[in-house]
Amino acid sequence: MPKDSGIGVASKRREDFRFLTGRGKYTDDVALQGQLYAVMVRSEVAHGKIKKIDTEAISEMPGVRAVFTGEDFSEVGGNPAGWLINSRDGTPMREPKRPVLAHGKVRHVGDAYAAVVAETLQQAKDAAEKLAESAVIEELPAIVDMAGAISDSENRVHDEIDDNLCFDWGWIEDNREVVDKALTSSPHVTTLQLVNNRLVPNAVEPRSSIGEYDPGTGEYKLTTTSQNPHLTRLLICAFVLGIPEHKLTVVAPDVGGGFGSKIYHYGEEALVLAAARKLGRPVRWTADRSESFLSDAHGRDHLTTIEVGSTMDGEILAIRTSTLANVGAYLSNFSTVTPTFLHGTLMAGPYKVPHVYVNLKAVFTNTAPVDAYRGAGRPEATYSLERAIDKLSRELNLDPIEVRKKNLLTPDQFPYTSPVGLIYDIGNYQNTLDKAIELADLKNFESRVKKSKSNGKLRGLGLSTWIEACGIAPSNLVGQLGARVGLYDAATVRVSATGTIQVMTGAHSHGQGHETAFAQLVASKLGVAEDAVEIVHGDTSKIPFGMGSYGSRSLAVCGSAMDRAVDKIIEKGKKIAAHMLEADEIDITFENGNFTVNGTDKSKSFGEVAFSAYVPHNYPLETLEPGLEETAFYDPNNFTYPAGAYLCEVEVDPDTGKVTICSFTCADDFGNVINPMIVDGQVHGGVAQGIGQALTEQTVYNEEGQLLTASYMDYTMPRADDLPFLKVDHSCQTPCTHNPLGVKGCGEAGAIGSPPAVVNAVVDALNRGGHAVTHIDMPLSPHRVWQAMQG
Amino acid sequence: MTTVKLSVNGKEMSAEVEGRTLLVDVLREKLGLTGTHVGCDTSQCGACTVHVDGKSMKSCSVLAIDVAGAEVTTIEGMANPDGSLSVIQAAFKEHHGLQCGFCTPGMVMTAAALLKENPVPTEGEVRAYLEGNICRCTGYHNIVKAILAASGQDVAAMAGE
Ligand code: FES
Ligand code: FES
């Protein structure tokens, strides 16, 4: 009989009731007495010198309470990059200061150089418009193209950086020569140039922040759309505003999706806090969608050349990549780790490749900052590799499935140290590939090709076998590699006298269903009902500490911290139960919610023990403190390595170039699964974003640095009718060997594995249709596909 | 300023509005009904969808004075009278048709309008009808399933599961 609660069960989400009845509480839903509205004044040019901002001109306008410019924040610190990267020659990256408001220069369209605070939103907007009209900004040539940027020393995004280069990174630099040699002596070398298209994350809830200040106590509160309230607090306190950390509470209430874009601390958060302090009233700001396009951190934007050396029968001998990565105008918090350690370290994929070398130059341009977006670096690595392997197979006239099978690591090869510095703990890549082939009904593929042909369509099949590394850790290693924070997490389990449980977690849920899945985890371990467990997240005043949710870390890292804290509860419970049962602690077993003396029927329930902890009448007070509450910090000793195989079937309309996804099949290995329904949902969402990248989404700046795709009219989000039902399976499980739950991350897999599967399928369809197309850059719009078919 | 009277979720309400005030702002700011969301400024995302006199509309694109006297239903008015989830809401929960919940009110309102017009839609009809609603989290898979399930169809078979 299937279980109806606990680990592995598709428990329905407890958060759904409030969302389905309009009772979710998102930042912009919070209304406060006496609140004022802030509106940002944003640059309309990509690059310019700020000559004059006439704040006097609007100070008398109706409702205006304050005007801020970069000048007001020139003394406070800058928002830092979270990771220091060294160039190949050992010099540290160039790290220009990122101000709260642009000062001296504006550096991208949408760069905020002033803010107006007024009684109503409309008044603030009117005044902001007037201020923008009267501001004098001398336009400078825009630096948009990456190759141009690093060869042009006249035009500089930051005056002190002569070649617009942030760093020139080699990974691993010592591999460079060996890889060069291996490629020179390879019987076959496939070369491919690719664009990993720039994307806008587009969580449907726009960013929003409310600052409060209590002059009586000197305490600040920031309510904000964040994936990691503690990190935001740390950045604001330690680097930006210098508020003592214990005087700032950061609350991230319900958050409407993040996908990376809400990891980072943004200037608007500092602005509303500073304004609240100055005015003594709450100050709120909410982006409209156009502002989100202009000012949220974007994702991807790589130009890569990949070379893969192989034998004539497809055994990979060496891989070399060379990439230009756009970091935009300023370094956002994760912008330097994303194209480096989250990208270069994955360049061996799930394959046994002896030699790999990655070179990456990070380039400043007059565009919005670019940072981690769902997958963060790993989609870029996977795309390069999986496209190149497909091209290699075609060139050597080999079956792309067979080429992968030939190169995949085998289960007996784990733990495996890759040539780019990771240690894969466990996996079974053959299993997921076989599973995908089975689920996709590959044996009948040729008959589907015929059927499509009889309908005048070209059908193609694309495969991607991918691996990723998530739950980035351990802290001491990442510290050596340049991280400026630790990557552990924390949880507190608080048992009440009546046996109900609150779990305070450093993870933040913005769609992932933590309130349900974490409750399943804790309840099943303690043998209590799921609804006796409440998950508390998103408020720095309630939670011990935490690094938040991104990089598919919540369950693997925060869940493991929770598991450790529960272990401590059980240990203490055993001591209490031993006393109550007049037995030795070592003779007590905890199972199904009961502490039992081994070999007897004497036992105490979890509830009885909890009660005794708070009403300690019969209690070992001499040796044990009352109460039942434990905190654990957990620092993983490795990443986790989810992996899988994705198969995509497409039809191309040869007359229009339109691509239709006929089927998309995912076989993933996420290790142990807590809630399969939620995991399926994570994969669905990730794959949809990957298909969006492959077929529809593209961020376009023109030569003047104007963002041409700044609304949903111009930026093509995937819609329901762009996608089919997806086939998702995670029955192949190799539990992670180094965390107590045996879990891996599932949040980014879909976005990592899917784009190359789609592009490979389209290229396959075209080749089957007699068009010798080797590559088309994403997004594969009808126009691009049609053009490729014309030769 | 003009006073606009509306019947919202069966209750008579009135609000002071300017000529340029949008229906969504009346709902969210004047009436405190924050279940209706704003996800864009070009009438594309559908997070703001409500029913006005029984028809689904994007409340970000409607001036409050233009709908004076109308009957408006928002997500807050969609549950059963006893407060339990309606068939469509329950199907969204059962089939995990929501993640972050931000698009969800609009999705539920749109789904209700669809099923009123077309009680037993095909998968293709559901997908086409959702053309004005963006969800970034779910890949639409479970939203489409939920709507088909709410229409009483065997959704596991339809989704090939
Ligand atoms: S807010 Fe109305 S359609 Fe987006
Ligand atoms: S559930 Fe998050 S946008 Fe749809």
Side-chain angles (χ1 to χ4, degrees), chain A residues 204, chain B residues 98-104 135-138:
Chain A
V204 180
Chain B
L98 62 154
Q99 291 184 23
C100 77
F102 199 79
C103 72
T104 308
C135 174
R136 193 53 148 172
C137 298
T138 62

Side-chain angles (χ1 to χ4, degrees), chain A residues 21-45:
Chain A
T21 54
R23 293 192 184 90
K25 222 5 161 205
Y26 301 86
T27 300
D28 192 60
D29 299 341
V30 176
L32 296 167
Q33 202 66 40
Q35 63 190 7
L36 296 166
Y37 292 78
V39 166
M40 312 303 288
V41 187
R42 298 186 184 277
S43 176
E44 288 169 14
V45 300

Side-chain angles (χ1 to χ4, degrees), chain A residues 262-280:
Chain A
K262 294 172 182 168
I263 298 172
Y264 326 115
H265 165 54
Y266 291 88
E268 293 88 355
E269 293 170 325
L271 185 277
V272 294
L273 285 170
R277 177 165 68 183
K278 178 167 177 178
L279 298 164

Side-chain angles (χ1 to χ4, degrees), chain B residues 52-77:
Chain B
V52 178
D53 291 333
K55 282 216 192 77
S56 104
M57 277 194 185
K58 292 182 169 174
S59 62
C60 71
S61 312
V62 179
L63 292 174
I65 47 168
D66 284 350
V67 293
E71 284 190 18
V72 178
T73 308
T74 69
I75 188 69
E76 287 90 346

